[in-house]
Amino acid sequence: MASDSDEGKERLIDDVRPSLRKRIVVERVLDQLHIIENDQKEQIRQKAMSVSNLEAADLLISAVLKKPHAPGWFQAFVDALKHSGCESAAHYIQPGNPVDPAAEAENDACVTLIQILSPSLVQMKTEVVNVECFSEQLITQDDFEKIKTITANEGNMGGARELLRSIVRGRPGWFSQFLQILRVTEHKHLYELTGGSSDCDKTVGKLPSLKDEPMESEAAAGSQDSPEFMVISSTNEPPEEQDLYQAVSAKSRQLPDSVEPSTSDPVEAAGGPEKDDIVLRDYQMNVAGPALEGKNIIICLPTGSGKTRVAVYITKKHLDHRRKEGCSGKVIILVNKVPLVEQHFNAEFLPFLKHTYKVERVSGDSQLKISFTEIVKNNDVIVCTAQILENYLERANTGEDEGVDLSDLTLIVIDECHHTQKGGVYNHIMMRYLKQKHKNIRLKKEQKKTMPLPQILGLTASPGVGGPPKWRKLRTTYCICANLDASKIMTTDLGQFKREPRKSIQTVEDRKEDPFGDVIKNIMNDIHTHAELNPTYDLGSQTYEQWVVQKERIEHLKQYSEGLNLCNTIRMRDALNFLTEYQEEEKKKKKSPDAELVIKITETEQFLFDLFEGKKDELKQLSEKPEFENDSLSKLRSKVLHEFTSREKARGIIFTKTRRSAIALSQWIQENPKFADVGVKAYHVIGAGDQSVVKPMTSAEQRDVLTKFRDGEVNLLIATTVAEEGLDIAACNFVIRYGLVTNEIAMIQARGRGRAEDSSYTLVDVKNSGVAEKECVNEYRITMMNKAIDKIRTLKQEDYDRRILEYQMQAIMEGRMRMKKKQQQQMRTEKGEVKFSCRSCSKHVCTGEDIQMVDVHRVNVSLEFRKLFIKRENTTLQERHFDSETETNDYIACKDCGQRWGSMMLYRGIDCPSLHVKNFVVTFNGKKKNKCTSWSDLKIKFPAFDYIKYVHQLGESSDKDDTD
């Protein structure tokens, strides 16, 4: 039973608890306190690391007050506070030292003043002030050593923040002592700003009232103009629970302390409170340093570490600097996917810059009715897809119209800059930059006028390592640095802010019986026998599919092979639906919309149709037996249910390989009541391109699903790789890759989608996918990538610059050689000798002389060609693209066999048949051209479309028909 004396001491601690918890440094006190059990100490330490010192201090006080008390518990607590350097905390609980409300209020006012002036105070000479504070016993030996270490490792500002954290916990009178130290260490400006007399020979006067503090002049000026303005504390307590040293100015409180992009509603983000102050953490400020000096750099930080926020900060400082010098600035932020345009615009650049600069966004889905050139002229910051900028750079280059020049821009930010290689659009833009840069070097030597070039800022989490040979791990990183003309690649240790999701791999077992797959294999073997084929590869394997494609064998075999793989990934009924849909589409090709036309069905085609019809009922019966389903689905179901039952608010993403599997998995989850019982609300998001036979999502549909995911209306997203890069959902706490592993870049990007605390990353194996082995390889490649970055960063700057120059010159020379060969090939090619035949029935269709170019489309201008095809409705009609004069309406197919040839395109009021070369057999001088799957494989330069001549031809044909 507690004594009366104990109860009095308990009340004393409880009475001063709010002030006490602010002055305790938990880690140090625990080392000196021996009245608490070790397991409870560990629990308190974990709270300090994972939440905040403030919360941990509260837990420590509760542990001290917990009954029964050990003999001498109170004195032990006081001694622990004194010996750990928390003398002000010990002072509060001394029985003979009653709390003076006026003194407490004055101390709080001093702390608040230091908080408000922190952006300016961190400019102090930390090493000098640290020594003086220690000699005056304002900080402890531990404080002194810690500040010294942080200053050495993180720079002057990092040490200054730790110093300020330490002094505000000091004994009574600390503020006056600190002012004196600022004066004697020759920090006159900071001394006067903090309340010291302008006459340095006079003693420090009374603390000025906070009401008289010039917050919007001196303090605010320091926070907005200084590129080093940063928040010192990393906790995220509510205002009434702020630790002693957190930035609490009115403006900084409006900002999320997290480095994560805002996940609020885009409209709300755009119209919410002004966010003039951009708050960076220490590691973010460190990597931004060279860019703030105007240098080209690559920032390489893990996903979720706030690279975009750093880019916003650099953008603002860049524009501020140019405005201060009387020059205009023009910043373009380039992204590689349409959804990222809206995300960067609404969540990052617009909220922070809208009150100071004009910010706009442009993508292929934009409804803006003015040209991109005008948008660039009228705005300071433009977020857009890279292809739009490339198109307008090309227009300016060819003189087609005004276009956009690199000299119009002052800063280009390239998101996911690891794509700046090979034939990507980022690289096309940067090759223009590099050519002009080296041309400028020559012009400068000749004392001629040079073209100004923009500063380049690249952002990435994963540069990659390239191919398997060891030397490529450095070459890939060098190439990216060279292509971006980066003077440095900046990376750093995130320290306490580093987040690694818990990783696990779910292996699967083979089916004991697979009657559904056996039926499909029997069908395939019947086709082999009929076609006199003898494949030596396992049916459904990747090598088998390659053999089918290379040998141009029966398309049905490729579809059955796909069906085999689907039944190892999704439900058997989904695989059956896929095969049924394919068969029905093939039959539709044999039915003409014109009843008078008869399309022939060959003997082989009839055999294939009958073969499937004969097995369809058996496949349907087997697909309804759950005991034959694949083990991967079972593992996926268990994992999803575990996540939703073990978390208070689960929100996750499942990445899968194909659009078809994404849609099928979404339907499976929606139809399964077990998922609904635990609150799963699932939907899929797939790509917007038309390369797949599966109907794509429009960009508007993608945005709608992603918005619902952010808002929590959808809490489980099933996605293809379209969502791997850049998707920022702070509440996402688990990621599952379902039978999908590509390279180390994709792996880093995918697991980085899990942004919340205690997130998990799970790999679920699928038969024949080999994902577990590939994942191990990728882990090794990531290690190689990090070593490559470290090795490059240790090079002397002159050695680095020389190697970068070599890579740049090599890239320019290789590009010139490719262009030369391309031109030679085009000149040698006689278009009249290039002939196109229907891939299905081999009927001659046209020659190269009949084809002209409309933008990137190849249209047949021969009126005779119009007699050879029929038109069908295009069920996957897409939205009209930004700044485009073309629109796809129907597709065209062979009158004789139904083979699809291309699409009917509406261009400036007339129908133009656009051809897709993959649907034709192409011959040149009687020899078949292999691998003509895209027009880029055919080295022919077709003439531009002659609109006037074509309209006249159509008019003459129409007049002739009217006469007839």
Side-chain angles (χ1 to χ4, degrees):
M1 184 172 178
S3 67
D4 292 339
S5 176
D6 283 347
E7 290 179 356
K9 292 170 183 175
E10 290 169 4
R11 283 195 301 271
L12 175 60
I13 293 175
D14 263 332
D15 288 343
V16 298
R17 187 172 188 143
S19 299
L20 191 62
R21 67 202 292 265
K22 297 176 184 178
R23 289 164 171 80
I24 291 177
V25 183
V26 170
E27 190 66 34
R28 296 183 196 170
V29 175
L30 286 175
D31 289 340
Q32 302 292 334
L33 193 59
H34 306 297
I35 58 173
I36 300 177
E37 297 293 334
N38 288 334
D39 57 345
Q40 195 163 18
K41 281 187 178 182
E42 187 60 33
Q43 184 182 359
I44 296 169
R45 284 194 174 94
Q46 289 297 326
K47 178 71 77 171
M49 288 188 293
S50 62
V51 183
S52 70
N53 185 83
L54 201 65
E55 289 287 331
D58 205 38
L59 192 61
L60 186 149
I61 295 170
S62 296
V64 170
L65 294 175
K66 186 178 179 181
K67 299 176 181 178
H69 295 302
W73 67 275
F74 181 78
Q75 190 59 46
F77 184 38
V78 173
D79 292 343
L81 292 174
K82 289 180 178 179
H83 296 154
S84 60
C86 301
E87 293 181 357
S88 61
H91 177 80
Y92 268 86
I93 59 172
Q94 293 290 353
N97 296 327
V99 176
D100 181 355
E104 180 74 0
E106 184 175 352
N107 184 79
D108 289 344
C110 293
V111 172
T112 303
L113 181 59
I114 295 295
Q115 293 166 352
I116 291 171
L117 299 180
S118 62
S120 298
L121 290 172
V122 294
Q123 308 297 325
M124 71 174 79
K125 299 173 184 176
T126 307
E127 291 184 1
V128 176
V129 176
N130 188 33
V131 171
E132 196 67 27
C133 286
F134 178 58
S135 66
E136 293 294 326
Q137 297 184 348
L138 194 56
I139 57 176
T140 66
Q141 175 79 32
D142 287 343
D143 290 329
F144 174 75
E145 295 296 339
K146 184 175 182 181
I147 294 164
K148 188 177 178 181
T149 301
I150 292 175
T151 304
N153 294 336
E154 300 181 14
N156 186 77
M157 292 193 332
R161 289 187 192 85
E162 185 60 34
L163 175 63
L164 293 175
R165 287 192 194 99
S166 300
I167 64 169
V168 297
R169 293 191 296 260
R171 62 177 183 269
W174 64 267
F175 183 77
S176 296
Q177 276 189 286
F178 180 57
L179 257 63
Q180 288 285 16
I181 290 170
L182 288 178
R183 184 178 66 82
V184 300
T185 54
E186 300 181 351
H187 291 84
K188 181 179 178 182
H189 170 65
L190 297 180
Y191 168 74
E192 293 176 359
L193 184 65
T194 316
S197 170
S198 59
D199 183 358
C200 289
D201 293 330
K202 294 181 180 180
T203 59
V204 179
K206 181 183 176 183
L207 171 69
S209 169
L210 289 181
K211 290 188 290 185
D212 299 328
E213 184 62 34
M215 291 181 65
E216 293 301 327
S217 56
E218 296 168 322
S223 66
Q224 292 181 18
D225 294 339
S226 171
E228 292 82 15
F229 172 64
M230 301 165 75
V231 168
I232 295 175
S233 176
S234 61
T235 61
N236 199 16
E237 301 289 339
E240 65 273 14
E241 293 294 325
Q242 290 284 346
D243 203 345
L244 271 180
Y245 199 70
Q246 287 197 11
V248 292
S249 69
K251 289 182 179 179
S252 66
R253 275 186 180 175
Q254 295 170 1
L255 292 172
D257 193 51
S258 169
V259 297
E260 299 292 335
S262 170
T263 57
S264 61
D265 182 84
V267 176
E268 181 184 340
E274 181 178 349
K275 295 183 177 181
D276 284 338
D277 296 336
I278 303 171
V279 182
L280 297 187
R281 288 175 171 166
D282 288 1
Y283 70 83
Q284 293 172 311
M285 198 66 197
N286 288 340
V287 297
L292 296 173
E293 299 171 2
K295 296 178 181 178
N296 295 351
I297 64 167
I298 295 172
I299 293 178
C300 181
L301 290 176
T303 53
S305 58
K307 293 185 293 296
T308 310
R309 183 64 53 82
V310 177
V312 177
Y313 183 88
I314 293 170
T315 296
K316 187 174 188 304
K317 293 304 173 184
H318 172 85
L319 293 172
D320 290 347
H321 177 71
R322 291 190 65 85
R323 179 177 284 181
K324 188 175 180 180
E325 291 189 338
C327 307
S328 63
K330 196 74 64 179
V331 181
I332 281 196
I333 294 88
L334 300 181
V335 299
N336 61 334
K337 292 179 181 177
V338 172
L340 297 182
V341 173
E342 294 295 329
Q343 177 175 289
H344 286 347
F345 175 78
N346 286 315
E348 292 290 345
F349 287 90
L350 183 63
F352 286 102
L353 303 177
K354 65 179 179 179
H355 293 284
T356 314
Y357 299 101
K358 294 180 180 179
V359 188
E360 189 53 87
R361 83 287 207 187
V362 185
S363 70
D365 291 331
S366 296
Q367 301 301 315
L368 299 173
K369 300 302 181 183
I370 59 175
S371 72
F372 183 67
T373 306
E374 290 300 313
I375 293 171
V376 172
K377 285 182 179 178
N378 298 332
N379 292 277
D380 304 301
V381 180
I382 303 98
V383 185
C384 69
T385 46
Q387 190 60 57
I388 288 177
L389 177 61
E390 168 62 15
N391 292 345
Y392 277 80
L393 289 172
E394 179 61 22
R395 291 188 182 192
N397 183 52
T398 59
E400 179 182 337
D401 58 22
E402 199 171 356
V404 175
D405 288 311
L406 285 172
S407 58
D408 297 331
L409 313 175
T410 58
L411 171 63
I412 298 178
V413 180
I414 301 180
D415 189 39
E416 309 296 353
C417 69
H418 49 269
H419 293 296
T420 314
Q421 53 182 322
K422 299 180 181 178
V425 63
Y426 283 164
N427 214 33
H428 291 164
I429 293 170
M430 287 309 302
M431 283 306 299
R432 296 179 187 276
Y433 178 99
L434 294 178
K435 288 177 182 177
Q436 187 59 50
K437 173 194 170 182
H438 291 284
K439 183 178 179 181
N440 282 350
I441 294 173
R442 176 172 54 82
L443 291 173
K444 192 173 181 179
K445 289 180 180 178
E446 298 171 358
Q447 297 184 338
K448 295 180 180 179
K449 186 178 180 181
T450 60
M451 177 189 286
L453 289 172
Q455 180 184 350
I456 304 296
L457 173 63
L459 307 175
T460 184
S462 46
V465 294
K470 289 184 179 179
W471 58 271
R472 286 188 63 87
K473 65 183 178 183
L474 282 177
R475 187 177 188 276
T476 299
T477 311
Y478 273 130
C479 282
I480 294 173
C481 291
N483 293 343
L484 288 162
D485 195 37
S487 63
K488 292 178 182 293
I489 180 167
M490 300 299 296
T491 187
T492 188
D493 182 13
L494 270 58
Q496 62 176 315
F497 302 111
K498 187 175 182 180
R499 292 179 182 173
E500 284 288 343
R502 290 177 287 104
K503 181 177 177 179
S504 62
I505 298 178
Q506 300 279 341
T507 57
V508 296
E509 298 178 0
D510 286 340
R511 290 184 177 100
K512 294 179 180 179
E513 292 182 85
D514 185 16
F516 183 88
D518 292 339
V519 173
I520 294 178
K521 290 177 181 178
N522 290 337
I523 294 174
M524 296 171 74
N525 286 325
D526 288 344
I527 296 174
H528 295 154
T529 302
H530 179 85
E532 298 181 354
L533 300 174
N534 187 27
T536 57
Y537 309 106
D538 292 335
L539 303 187
S541 66
Q542 189 174 358
T543 51
Y544 176 82
E545 288 191 9
Q546 291 171 349
W547 172 78
V548 171
V549 172
Q550 289 173 357
K551 299 297 182 181
E552 297 186 359
R553 298 300 184 183
I554 300 171
E555 179 68 17
H556 285 246
L557 287 174
K558 181 181 176 183
Q559 302 304 317
Y560 283 120
S561 182
E562 177 67 14
L564 270 179
N565 288 322
L566 286 174
C567 72
N568 288 326
T569 308
I570 54 181
R571 294 174 298 183
M572 293 181 289
R573 56 184 279 192
D574 297 315
L576 178 58
N577 288 339
F578 160 72
L579 294 173
T580 303
E581 287 172 9
Y582 172 74
Q583 295 290 327
E584 290 175 353
E585 285 297 320
E586 289 298 299
K587 289 179 180 179
K588 279 183 184 179
K589 293 179 182 179
K590 302 302 174 182
K591 295 178 182 178
S592 171
D594 187 347
E596 296 180 2
L597 289 174
V598 177
I599 298 177
K600 297 177 183 177
I601 298 178
T602 66
E603 181 182 341
T604 297
E605 288 172 338
Q606 191 62 55
F607 166 77
L608 294 171
F609 292 147
D610 293 342
L611 187 60
F612 180 75
E613 285 298 323
K615 300 291 186 180
K616 186 176 178 180
D617 289 341
E618 184 180 359
L619 288 171
K620 189 174 187 305
Q621 291 175 4
L622 291 169
S623 69
E624 295 171 353
K625 296 183 178 182
E627 63 268 26
F628 297 135
E629 290 289 7
N630 63 74
D631 188 43
S632 298
L633 273 181
S634 176
K635 291 290 195 300
L636 180 62
R637 178 174 54 246
S638 298
K639 182 61 182 174
V640 172
L641 291 175
H642 170 74
E643 293 291 346
F644 275 88
T645 53
S646 62
R647 298 179 185 273
E648 184 177 349
K649 287 186 179 180
R651 195 178 305 182
I653 305 176
I654 299 173
F655 288 107
T656 187
K657 189 174 182 180
T658 66
R659 294 178 180 180
R660 192 177 302 280
S661 61
I663 295 170
L665 289 172
S666 178
Q667 291 173 344
W668 168 63
I669 292 171
Q670 291 168 1
E671 295 169 6
N672 193 322
K674 289 185 178 180
F675 292 113
D677 290 343
V678 296
V680 179
K681 295 171 287 186
Y683 206 78
H684 62 273
V685 60
I686 59 176
D690 59 357
Q691 297 87 356
S692 171
V693 294
V694 179
K695 181 180 177 180
M697 266 186 161
T698 64
S699 296
E701 289 171 334
Q702 288 180 342
R703 284 197 304 272
D704 181 56
V705 175
L706 294 178
T707 299
K708 288 180 179 178
F709 186 56
R710 285 191 178 94
D711 296 342
E713 293 180 48
V714 170
N715 55 20
L716 181 60
L717 200 64
I718 299 93
T720 55
T721 53
V722 69
E724 268 186 343
E725 289 189 358
L727 179 64
D728 292 324
I729 308 294
C732 181
N733 46 29
F734 72 90
V735 172
I736 300 173
R737 296 194 93 191
Y738 185 63
L740 173 65
V741 170
T742 48
N743 57 26
E744 74 283 1
I745 295 175
M747 183 179 119
I748 291 171
Q749 294 291 338
R751 72 185 183 191
R753 296 314 108 210
R755 298 296 178 88
E757 290 285 350
D758 193 34
S759 61
S760 66
Y761 169 76
T762 306
L763 185 69
V764 178
D765 200 359
V766 169
K767 184 180 178 182
N768 296 331
S769 67
V771 294
E773 294 81 0
K774 293 176 184 176
E775 188 80 356
C776 293
V777 172
N778 284 339
E779 291 286 1
Y780 172 67
R781 290 165 68 88
I782 290 173
T783 302
M784 290 169 59
M785 178 186 78
N786 293 330
K787 286 182 178 179
I789 294 172
D790 290 341
K791 188 170 183 179
I792 289 175
R793 282 172 53 80
T794 58
L795 285 176
K796 292 181 180 179
Q797 191 64 41
E798 55 268 27
D799 293 336
Y800 171 85
D801 292 342
R802 186 180 67 255
R803 295 192 186 190
I804 292 302
L805 181 60
E806 289 176 0
Y807 279 104
Q808 288 179 349
M809 297 305 298
Q810 179 182 342
I812 292 172
M813 297 308 296
E814 287 176 349
R816 288 176 180 172
M817 183 59 67
R818 284 193 298 270
M819 184 60 69
K820 184 177 180 180
K821 287 182 178 180
K822 184 177 179 181
Q823 291 172 348
Q824 291 173 346
Q825 181 68 27
Q826 289 172 345
M827 287 188 292
R828 286 198 301 265
T829 303
E830 295 291 334
K831 291 186 289 295
E833 297 301 316
V834 180
K835 297 181 181 179
F836 299 81
S837 302
C838 177
R839 182 166 289 279
S840 180
C841 65
S842 301
K843 178 176 68 176
H844 173 72
V845 176
C846 63
T847 70
E849 296 287 355
D850 302 325
I851 298 174
Q852 294 180 1
M853 295 286 295
V854 176
D855 292 336
V856 296
H857 306 282
R858 277 77 172 174
V859 300
N860 192 310
V861 297
S862 169
L863 296 183
E864 293 298 315
F865 174 72
R866 289 177 171 265
K867 301 176 184 179
L868 304 178
F869 65 80
I870 54 178
K871 291 195 294 184
R872 297 184 186 275
E873 181 183 358
N874 185 358
T875 57
T876 60
L877 180 65
Q878 294 295 292
E879 300 169 344
R880 182 172 176 172
H881 289 297
F882 170 79
D883 204 49
S884 175
E885 296 181 287
T886 64
E887 183 176 349
T888 302
N889 289 329
D890 304 311
Y891 71 82
I892 58 176
C894 177
K895 267 188 178 180
D896 292 346
C897 69
Q899 169 68 44
R900 185 169 176 168
W901 286 351
S903 56
M904 184 59 77
M905 185 177 68
L906 180 64
Y907 175 68
R908 296 169 67 181
I910 58 174
D911 284 334
C912 301
S914 174
L915 307 183
H916 298 173
V917 71
K918 65 182 180 181
N919 298 320
F920 298 93
V921 175
V922 184
T923 58
F924 176 62
N925 286 334
K927 294 183 180 180
K928 180 180 175 182
K929 300 286 291 182
N930 293 322
K931 296 184 180 179
C932 280
T933 57
S934 67
W935 285 107
S936 60
D937 296 328
L938 200 59
K939 306 300 181 183
I940 302 177
K941 187 174 182 179
F942 295 106
F945 181 64
D946 191 333
Y947 180 84
I948 296 174
K949 182 177 179 181
Y950 192 66
V951 170
H952 284 162
Q953 286 179 339
L954 290 177
E956 291 171 2
S957 175
S958 178
D959 292 341
K960 184 178 179 181
D961 291 343
D962 291 342
T963 304
D964 294 339

